[in-house]
Amino acid sequence: MEVFLAQPRGFCAGVVRAIEIVERALEKYGPPVYVRHEIVHNKYVVESLKKKGAIFVEDLSEVPPKAVTVFSAHGVARSVEEEAASRGLPVLNATCPLVTKVHNQGKRYISKGRALILIGHADHPEVEGTMGQVPGPVLLVQSVQDVAELTLPVDTPVAYITQTTLSVDDTKDIIAALQAKFTDIQGPDIRDICYATQNRQSAVRELSKLVDVILVVGAANSSNSNRLREIGTEVGVASYLVADGSELNPDWLKDAKAVGITAGASAPEVLVDDVIEALRRIGPVTVSVLPGREENIEFRLPAELTAG
Ligand code: 0JX
Ligand code: SF4
């Protein structure tokens, strides 16, 4: 069996930074360090950090007084920031700078008096955070159908922003529907979908041209990983999301000569290796890495973790 690895795949700059914030906080302040929500949507990452002394909670009420607290890469609502401040919790904010950029765009549009539309998935923590960061009502749309159902007068000055981990193609359709509906509309086009999401989606399209089956390494609750699997399926290649090698089903590979592997932005390379090992247990494999766009983006850590 030939195995092709998509390039780029796996960790993005925001995930590297978020994990490093927890690790450095553990080193600097000592365990435990509390993390609100999974730092990134990956059980392996979360379990590794738990072993080093991180404690993961969903609500700040679970954090004891004075405990060092980290906000996850997905961002939080202002109400969460305010609760932490009112309790005097020392906070390290691991929100990806590209998510913060979307928050700031939303605030700017609202300050200019525009009605704000967020393209994103309900109940996703990034969407909850973004909706809770902008000082005003936000209309959430998830589909072209949702756009048709918006009841705002069509000449209302509107603006849109997007979740960072959406499908580029679906988002283009939703933006086109918004532009067709509203006469005074502003927005960043698809630029809010972050570089890592866009690059991984392009790479899985290239991968799909060469393979019979695609395995996406990523967690079931990882939005960007799910989008990669969807793209594989949409272009007609059987595609499966696997957390690690143990989830590989040999039946998927019965007629496959070439298997493609990619990984979501929150999935560490060690899990890609684990999937390759699982393939080797089925039969001999040769592994090649496809050429692809190079990424050299790095985000700075919070100053309190780099000084001294
Ligand atoms: O579910 P998402 O894709 O938003 O998050 P995940 O899987 O943790 O990926 C890294 C964090 C991305 C934030 O934009
Ligand atoms: Fe940041 Fe994009 Fe990574 Fe999310 S997927 S953490 S927005 S770089």
Side-chain angles (χ1 to χ4, degrees), residues 15 40-41 73-74 99 124 126 163-165 221-224 265-266:
V15 165
V40 300
H41 291 145
H74 317 95
V99 173
H124 188 281
E126 181 182 323
Q163 193 177 335
T164 57
T165 51
N221 61 340
S222 164
S223 167
N224 77 87
S266 44

Side-chain angles (χ1 to χ4, degrees), residues 117 119 141-151 173-179 181-182:
I117 298 169
I119 306 171
V141 298
Q142 310 191 60
S143 62
V144 170
Q145 181 60 31
D146 285 352
V147 175
E149 287 166 12
L150 287 175
T151 53
D173 292 345
I174 296 171
I175 291 171
L178 286 169
Q179 284 169 336
K181 180 164 181 147
F182 292 101

Side-chain angles (χ1 to χ4, degrees), residues 41-285:
H41 291 145
N42 191 275
K43 291 277 168 298
Y44 180 93
V45 170
V46 166
E47 290 305 320
S48 317
L49 292 172
K50 272 188 194 169
K51 284 187 196 127
K52 295 180 184 173
I55 297 178
F56 290 84
V57 299
E58 283 305 313
D59 195 284
L60 287 190
S61 61
E62 300 163 67
V63 179
K66 300 201 178 98
V68 174
T69 304
V70 181
F71 294 155
S72 79
H74 317 95
V76 298
R78 277 175 61 92
S79 57
V80 175
E81 293 174 339
E82 284 161 7
E83 186 184 345
S86 75
R87 290 191 49 205
L89 294 174
V91 167
L92 292 160
N93 193 346
T95 304
C96 178
L98 299 181
V99 173
T100 305
K101 188 176 128 200
V102 176
H103 296 170
N104 291 337
Q105 266 170 347
K107 290 174 193 170
R108 245 189 338 265
Y109 287 132
I110 294 241
S111 74
K112 287 185 185 150
R114 290 184 174 268
L116 190 65
I117 298 169
L118 170 61
I119 306 171
H121 298 288
D123 299 329
H124 188 281
E126 181 182 323
V127 165
E128 282 173 10
T130 302
M131 292 183 82
Q133 278 287 338
V134 293
V138 184
L139 296 160
L140 181 66
V141 298
Q142 310 191 60
S143 62
V144 170
Q145 181 60 31
D146 285 352
V147 175
E149 287 166 12
L150 287 175
T151 53
L152 280 181
V154 296
D155 57 352
T156 312
V158 297
Y160 64 84
I161 52 176
T162 87
Q163 193 177 335
T164 57
T165 51
L166 299 178
S167 151
V168 169
D169 280 6
D170 292 351
T171 308
K172 278 184 184 156
D173 292 345
I174 296 171
I175 291 171
L178 286 169
Q179 284 169 336
K181 180 164 181 147
F182 292 101
T183 53
D184 179 5
I185 180 162
Q186 288 183 4
D189 194 43
I190 56 159
R191 282 187 297 274
D192 278 354
I193 300 179
C194 80
Y195 80 96
T197 301
Q198 298 209 21
N199 289 349
R200 280 152 193 68
Q201 289 182 12
S202 305
V204 80
R205 278 183 198 283
E206 289 306 310
L207 180 70
S208 70
K209 296 176 188 162
L210 301 173
V211 300
D212 313 301
V213 173
I214 292 175
L215 304 172
V216 179
V217 184
N221 61 340
S222 164
S223 167
N224 77 87
S225 305
N226 277 289
R227 304 293 81 80
L228 296 175
R229 189 200 57 73
E230 271 170 19
I231 289 172
T233 306
E234 276 162 23
V235 299
V237 180
S239 301
Y240 305 95
L241 186 65
V242 291
D244 57 31
S246 72
E247 292 191 354
L248 188 71
N249 180 344
D251 290 347
W252 299 337
L253 309 164
K254 270 202 305 258
D255 307 313
K257 292 193 174 52
V259 177
I261 303 180
T262 185
S266 44
E269 189 65 11
V270 58
L271 298 179
V272 171
D273 295 339
D274 191 56
V275 170
I276 296 171
E277 279 315 303
L279 288 169
R280 285 194 205 285
R281 288 196 286 276
I282 299 172
V285 301

